[in-house]
Amino acid sequence: MGLQIIKSDTHIDFVGIRKFAFMISLALILLGVGSLIMHGGPRYGIDFAGGINVQVKFDKEIEIDHLKTILRDGGLADTTVQTFGLPQDNEFIIRVSALNVTTDEVRTKVETTLNADMGNSGYKIQRQEMVGPKVGADLREKALEAMFYAVLLIAIYISGRFEARWIVAGIMAAALAGGIYLLELVNLPMSLLIVAAMFITIGLCWYLKLNYALGAVVALIHDVIITVGVFSLLGKEFDLTIVAALLTIIGYSLNDTIIVFDRIRENLRNGLGDTFADTINRSINQTLSRTLLTSGTTLLVVAALYVLGGGVIHDFAFALLIGVVIGTYSSIFVASPILMGIGPSAQPVEEEGAAA
């Protein structure tokens, strides 16, 4: 028998506290959405908003706060400074979000500012690169498309995997494609189009009784919104590394949800549980030890990345820390209890002797 930190005969009433859990989720979502509205949306990094990166290597150790002060006093107030590589490398990325200057002008400004403080022999500019606003907008749209299609394909997969309703899942995909086509005719911005498509997906899952897909999709959207909301609350930038983190979170959260759904389906077939709520509780308790062990070991790895990984992947690791915690929570308190509101789809009844 494998390692178990929760006894197999544990009976925690997760479904019984679902309303309390939903209130917590709703409060977190409203807090994040409120922050996004107040700030006019996510704080985009250079990848999405456009700007200039300058990588500088210093000959000796320099504190990042001191470097920020030097740049601010030199007239480069609208910059973000991050460490690059290992701390002993003394390398930094200076991000300038201004769009009305050229790369050479920024380089000259940085050199003039640093020379005034430490002379021209204490550092070396390793590279500089510029992302135009058009490229940033294209990357932003592609990132949104990637997250949307990830969730859509997951909805189709869950429908076929757990409910053996591939045809209905195909109808949902076709209806969604038609809805998106009609919305494109009115020239909706991509961000609104993605939001509308998400609502259509959830509505179709509900209407077509794709219950498992509905629970999984709602849980994934829940995880993404809360993670983005935390970044907005903390004023952190949203760039391509965070999109990569969100896609990783979607995959991780889905894996946890599938483990619980698998056990629910198995227990339903075996007739375990007096009621559907009892079956869900039994299934969550049976997989709880595995869920906590997996999440705990993953958190240890991500925490190590966060502490030791350096500034370049600092926000990436931070997003994963939030996502692993929220994803574990949602697989227990969001995805499965949502099935309670609708009930399971008709399960194929395998009567003994039917085939005889």
Side-chain angles (χ1 to χ4, degrees):
M1 179 179 291
L3 176 64
Q4 283 194 327
I5 58 174
I6 304 293
K7 292 182 179 179
S8 57
D9 57 351
T10 301
H11 295 287
I12 301 174
D13 185 11
F14 292 102
V15 171
I17 59 173
R18 66 184 184 281
K19 292 182 179 178
F20 179 68
F22 287 164
M23 289 177 64
I24 292 177
S25 294
L26 183 62
L28 291 174
I29 289 173
L30 290 178
L31 198 61
V33 171
S35 175
L36 288 169
I37 293 174
M38 288 182 62
H39 292 98
R43 182 187 171 199
Y44 293 120
I46 288 178
D47 292 344
F48 294 147
I52 298 168
N53 283 337
V54 180
Q55 181 180 334
V56 186
K57 179 177 176 59
F58 293 90
D59 296 338
K60 60 182 180 181
E61 184 178 352
I62 182 170
E63 295 293 332
I64 188 170
D65 290 337
H66 179 57
L67 180 58
K68 290 179 180 177
T69 302
I70 294 172
L71 295 171
R72 185 179 64 247
D73 294 343
L76 288 165
D78 192 19
T79 59
T80 301
V81 182
Q82 287 185 327
T83 55
F84 185 79
L86 299 174
Q88 59 268 29
D89 292 337
N90 299 320
E91 290 190 48
F92 297 87
I93 295 288
I94 301 171
R95 300 174 186 267
V96 182
S97 57
L99 300 175
N100 55 351
V101 293
T102 65
T103 307
D104 289 339
E105 287 174 340
V106 171
R107 181 188 180 114
T108 302
K109 188 73 174 177
V110 170
E111 287 178 334
T112 303
T113 303
L114 295 180
N115 289 342
D117 185 81
M118 61 183 65
N120 58 7
S121 60
Y123 69 93
K124 181 179 181 182
I125 293 181
Q126 304 279 52
R127 67 183 171 96
Q128 58 189 34
E129 59 187 13
M130 179 177 185
V131 178
K134 178 67 170 58
V135 174
D138 288 345
L139 288 174
R140 193 165 63 240
E141 291 189 359
K142 295 296 182 186
L144 286 170
E145 284 183 24
M147 284 191 286
F148 167 68
Y149 283 112
V151 173
L152 173 62
L153 292 175
I154 284 169
I156 296 172
Y157 167 73
I158 295 287
S159 304
R161 170 81 163 76
F162 288 94
E163 301 176 277
R165 301 175 67 190
W166 289 105
I167 295 178
V168 177
I171 293 173
M172 180 186 73
L176 178 61
I180 292 176
Y181 174 76
L182 292 176
L183 291 173
E184 285 178 338
L185 293 179
V186 297
N187 293 321
L188 273 183
M190 178 57 70
S191 55
L192 292 180
L193 186 64
I194 297 298
V195 172
M198 286 293 181
F199 277 109
I200 293 174
T201 302
I202 293 174
L204 287 171
C205 287
W206 174 80
Y207 182 75
L208 297 172
K209 294 293 184 184
L210 298 172
N211 303 330
Y212 288 94
L214 178 63
V217 168
V218 171
L220 296 180
I221 295 174
H222 163 279
D223 299 345
V224 171
I225 291 178
I226 290 180
T227 304
V228 173
V230 171
F231 264 65
S232 176
L233 285 168
L234 298 179
K236 288 184 172 294
E237 289 188 347
F238 196 81
D239 57 21
L240 282 175
T241 61
I242 306 306
V243 173
L246 291 177
L247 290 172
T248 306
I249 290 168
I250 288 174
Y252 181 86
S253 177
L254 177 69
N255 183 57
D256 255 2
T257 302
I258 283 179
I259 295 295
V260 179
F261 280 4
D262 246 342
R263 188 58 60 94
I264 291 174
R265 186 181 59 167
E266 183 180 329
N267 286 339
L268 280 172
R269 284 180 173 173
N270 293 330
L272 298 180
D274 298 330
T275 63
F276 187 45
D278 187 35
T279 302
I280 292 177
N281 268 333
R282 183 187 294 261
S283 304
I284 296 175
N285 279 290
Q286 287 174 345
T287 56
L288 188 59
S289 183
R290 180 262 177 207
T291 299
L292 295 180
L293 281 171
T294 303
S295 300
T297 50
T298 307
L299 274 176
L300 286 176
V301 174
V302 177
L305 280 177
Y306 179 75
V307 175
L308 305 173
V312 174
I313 61 170
H314 188 270
D315 286 350
F316 173 80
F318 181 67
L320 288 183
L321 278 175
I322 300 170
V324 170
V325 174
I326 296 298
T328 304
Y329 164 84
S330 69
S331 65
I332 296 174
F333 292 104
V334 177
S336 302
I338 279 181
L339 293 175
M340 282 290 300
I342 303 174
S345 299
Q347 298 295 316
V349 179
E350 298 175 0
E351 296 182 0
E352 292 184 3

